[in-house]
Amino acid sequence: MDFFGSMDISASGLEAQRIRMNVIAGNLANAGATRTEKGGPYRRKDVVFESSSTEFSKALETASGKQQGSVKVVDIVEDNTPFRKVYDPGHPDADKEGYVSMPNVSVPNEMVNLISATRSYQANITAVNAAKSMAAKALEIGR
């Protein structure tokens, strides 16, 4: 794999994880939003990734039986899990029985997802730095 190919793969991972972190931040910011523009409580959003292969990665996939290549964000979808019902008869969005539909965002789960995205982002930065270091060493050999 050439230098720019490895940088492209790491860059795609950085971009994908940055988008994922932004979506998670939006979920956390709206964890208590009971009223949205669409009406009803906020629905948690999730990122859908897809692998995009290069010619080299296709050959490597054939030889190794493992999928290689970069990653891209295909879509940001809403989670259709049911809303939580909380008894709060004084809330302006409460129904006739006094229950409020709360967003389907679980703050602990979102924090775990955020840590995972951060670690993936850091791993891609480490890969970029390793590729830069190897390229610098290769240039030193040529002197």
Side-chain angles (χ1 to χ4, degrees):
M1 176 176 293
D2 65 350
F3 172 72
F4 293 111
S6 63
M7 293 296 263
D8 287 342
I9 290 170
S10 295
S12 72
L14 287 169
E15 170 99 13
Q17 294 304 327
R18 181 189 57 81
I19 293 169
R20 182 177 174 208
M21 286 189 276
N22 285 341
V23 169
I24 293 168
N27 289 341
L28 288 169
N30 289 296
T34 58
R35 195 177 303 168
T36 62
E37 294 171 355
K38 295 179 182 178
Y42 175 82
R43 281 209 174 271
R44 178 184 176 275
K45 292 179 177 50
D46 208 0
V47 179
V48 178
F49 296 127
E50 179 179 85
S51 173
S52 58
S53 299
T54 61
E55 286 183 39
F56 176 78
S57 63
K58 289 178 186 174
L60 190 58
E61 287 173 18
T62 304
S64 68
K66 295 182 181 176
Q67 190 171 3
Q68 307 289 325
S70 59
V71 65
K72 64 180 180 177
V73 174
V74 179
D75 198 8
I76 298 174
V77 296
E78 288 187 346
D79 184 358
N80 288 323
T81 57
F83 296 121
R84 292 181 298 121
K85 295 284 189 175
V86 176
Y87 184 72
D88 186 3
H91 194 282
D93 294 326
D95 61 12
K96 293 177 183 176
E97 289 86 34
Y99 287 95
V100 179
S101 292
M102 298 298 288
N104 58 352
V105 177
S106 168
V107 173
N109 287 347
E110 294 300 320
M111 292 305 296
V112 169
N113 290 339
L114 185 59
I115 290 168
S116 172
T118 303
R119 296 286 188 233
S120 295
Y121 192 89
Q122 289 171 341
N124 281 298
I125 289 174
T126 301
V128 167
N129 289 335
K132 286 184 347 187
S133 175
M134 286 188 284
K137 293 290 183 189
L139 290 173
E140 285 179 18
I141 291 172
R143 289 185 188 180

